[in-house]
Amino acid sequence: MNLSGFETINLVSGKDTMTVSNDGISFSQATIVQLGKPEYVKAMINEGSKQFAIQVVDSNEPAKIPFFKRKRKNINVRWNNSVLKNELSGMMNWDLQSYTYRIDGKYYKEDQLMMFDLDKAKKNPRK
Protein backbone atom coordinates (compact mmCIF):
# COMPACT_ATOMS: atom_id res chain seq x y z
CA MET A 1 0.00 0.00 0.00
CA ASN A 2 1.28 3.46 -0.88
CA LEU A 3 1.36 5.64 2.26
CA SER A 4 3.22 8.57 0.72
CA GLY A 5 0.41 11.07 1.42
CA PHE A 6 0.07 10.14 5.09
CA GLU A 7 1.63 11.84 8.09
CA THR A 8 2.08 10.31 11.52
CA ILE A 9 0.00 12.04 14.16
CA ASN A 10 0.75 12.25 17.85
CA LEU A 11 -2.14 11.22 20.06
CA VAL A 12 -2.05 12.03 23.73
CA SER A 13 -4.87 12.32 26.21
CA GLY A 14 -5.67 15.68 27.72
CA LYS A 15 -5.80 19.22 26.41
CA ASP A 16 -3.17 21.65 25.25
CA THR A 17 -2.91 23.86 28.33
CA MET A 18 -0.63 26.20 30.21
CA THR A 19 -1.03 26.83 33.95
CA VAL A 20 0.23 29.97 35.66
CA SER A 21 0.58 29.82 39.43
CA ASN A 22 2.66 31.35 42.18
CA ASP A 23 4.97 28.33 41.79
CA GLY A 24 5.66 28.99 38.10
CA ILE A 25 4.36 28.23 34.63
CA SER A 26 3.70 24.67 33.52
CA PHE A 27 2.65 23.09 30.26
CA SER A 28 0.49 19.98 29.86
CA GLN A 29 1.78 16.73 28.39
CA ALA A 30 -0.52 17.27 25.42
CA THR A 31 1.11 20.65 24.71
CA ILE A 32 4.62 19.21 24.91
CA VAL A 33 3.79 16.25 22.65
CA GLN A 34 1.82 18.39 20.18
CA LEU A 35 4.89 20.61 19.73
CA GLY A 36 7.04 17.51 19.14
CA LYS A 37 8.86 17.55 22.49
CA PRO A 38 11.16 20.38 21.42
CA GLU A 39 14.41 21.05 23.20
CA TYR A 40 13.97 24.83 22.72
CA VAL A 41 11.15 27.31 22.24
CA LYS A 42 10.88 31.06 22.17
CA ALA A 43 8.24 32.86 24.20
CA MET A 44 6.23 35.78 22.84
CA ILE A 45 3.69 38.13 24.43
CA ASN A 46 1.16 40.34 22.70
CA GLU A 47 -0.06 42.79 25.35
CA GLY A 48 -2.65 44.33 23.02
CA SER A 49 -4.45 41.05 22.31
CA LYS A 50 -3.56 39.49 25.71
CA GLN A 51 -1.94 36.46 24.09
CA PHE A 52 1.10 34.38 24.97
CA ALA A 53 2.76 32.02 22.51
CA ILE A 54 5.58 29.52 22.46
CA GLN A 55 7.21 28.52 19.19
CA VAL A 56 9.62 25.69 18.47
CA VAL A 57 13.12 26.94 17.59
CA ASP A 58 16.54 25.39 17.16
CA SER A 59 19.66 25.92 19.23
CA ASN A 60 20.81 28.77 16.95
CA GLU A 61 17.89 31.05 17.89
CA PRO A 62 19.20 33.91 20.08
CA ALA A 63 15.91 34.07 22.05
CA LYS A 64 15.77 30.32 22.71
CA ILE A 65 14.53 29.02 26.07
CA PRO A 66 15.23 25.44 27.19
CA PHE A 67 11.96 23.51 27.05
CA PHE A 68 11.89 19.70 27.05
CA LYS A 69 14.84 17.67 28.28
CA ARG A 70 14.88 14.57 26.09
CA LYS A 71 16.64 12.44 28.72
CA ARG A 72 13.70 12.82 31.12
CA LYS A 73 11.30 9.93 31.51
CA ASN A 74 8.42 12.17 32.59
CA ILE A 75 6.87 14.46 30.03
CA ASN A 76 6.62 17.73 31.92
CA VAL A 77 7.83 21.30 31.61
CA ARG A 78 7.77 23.88 34.39
CA TRP A 79 9.33 27.30 34.20
CA ASN A 80 10.09 28.97 37.52
CA ASN A 81 10.90 32.28 35.89
CA SER A 82 9.62 35.04 38.17
CA VAL A 83 10.04 37.74 35.49
CA LEU A 84 7.70 35.95 33.06
CA LYS A 85 5.28 34.96 35.81
CA ASN A 86 5.12 38.55 37.05
CA GLU A 87 4.78 39.91 33.51
CA LEU A 88 1.78 37.69 32.78
CA SER A 89 0.10 38.19 36.16
CA GLY A 90 0.67 41.97 36.06
CA MET A 91 -0.69 42.30 32.53
CA MET A 92 -3.80 40.28 33.45
CA ASN A 93 -4.22 41.55 37.06
CA TRP A 94 -4.09 37.97 38.32
CA ASP A 95 -3.88 37.14 42.04
CA LEU A 96 -1.32 34.32 42.07
CA GLN A 97 -1.31 34.19 45.88
CA SER A 98 -4.93 32.99 45.92
CA TYR A 99 -5.53 31.42 42.49
CA THR A 100 -4.01 29.43 39.65
CA TYR A 101 -4.93 30.20 36.04
CA ARG A 102 -5.30 27.54 33.35
CA ILE A 103 -5.33 28.59 29.72
CA ASP A 104 -6.23 26.38 26.77
CA GLY A 105 -3.85 26.51 23.84
CA LYS A 106 -4.39 26.43 20.11
CA TYR A 107 -1.78 24.67 18.01
CA TYR A 108 -0.64 26.07 14.66
CA LYS A 109 1.15 23.20 12.97
CA GLU A 110 2.54 25.21 10.04
CA ASP A 111 4.27 27.59 12.47
CA GLN A 112 5.11 25.00 15.16
CA LEU A 113 3.45 27.38 17.58
CA MET A 114 1.08 27.09 20.54
CA MET A 115 -1.05 30.18 21.22
CA PHE A 116 -2.69 30.90 24.58
CA ASP A 117 -5.49 33.48 24.85
CA LEU A 118 -4.95 34.84 28.37
CA ASP A 119 -8.40 36.50 28.46
CA LYS A 120 -9.91 32.99 28.48
CA ALA A 121 -7.99 31.77 31.54
CA LYS A 122 -9.92 29.61 33.99
CA LYS A 123 -9.35 30.73 37.57
CA ASN A 124 -9.07 28.07 40.30
CA PRO A 125 -8.51 28.60 44.05
CA ARG A 126 -5.07 27.49 45.27
CA LYS A 127 -5.11 24.41 47.41
Side-chain angles (χ1 to χ4, degrees), residues 2-66:
N2 181 358
L3 299 175
S4 61
F6 287 83
E7 290 183 34
T8 302
I9 57 173
N10 292 320
L11 298 178
V12 66
S13 61
K15 295 176 106 179
D16 296 325
T17 61
M18 173 179 83
T19 303
V20 181
S21 71
N22 202 38
D23 300 324
I25 298 165
S26 60
F27 298 91
S28 68
Q29 282 188 3
T31 298
I32 298 163
V33 171
Q34 185 81 276
L35 289 169
K37 300 180 187 174
E39 190 173 355
Y40 300 103
V41 298
K42 69 176 175 179
M44 299 171 281
I45 293 176
N46 184 327
E47 289 190 36
S49 64
K50 306 280 196 240
Q51 292 176 309
F52 178 77
I54 54 174
Q55 185 174 36
V56 176
V57 295
D58 63 26
S59 61
N60 297 321
E61 167 64 42
K64 71 181 180 286
I65 300 169

Side-chain angles (χ1 to χ4, degrees), residues 46-93:
N46 184 327
E47 289 190 36
S49 64
K50 306 280 196 240
Q51 292 176 309
F52 178 77
I54 54 174
Q55 185 174 36
V56 176
V57 295
D58 63 26
S59 61
N60 297 321
E61 167 64 42
K64 71 181 180 286
I65 300 169
F67 193 68
F68 182 71
K69 295 181 175 124
R70 298 204 180 268
K71 294 180 182 177
R72 294 188 76 149
K73 292 181 181 174
N74 295 331
I75 300 175
N76 61 25
V77 171
R78 174 181 289 282
W79 290 342
N80 295 317
N81 186 299
S82 60
V83 172
L84 179 58
K85 180 181 67 171
N86 292 336
E87 177 79 20
L88 294 174
S89 64
M91 181 174 73
M92 299 307 297
N93 294 312

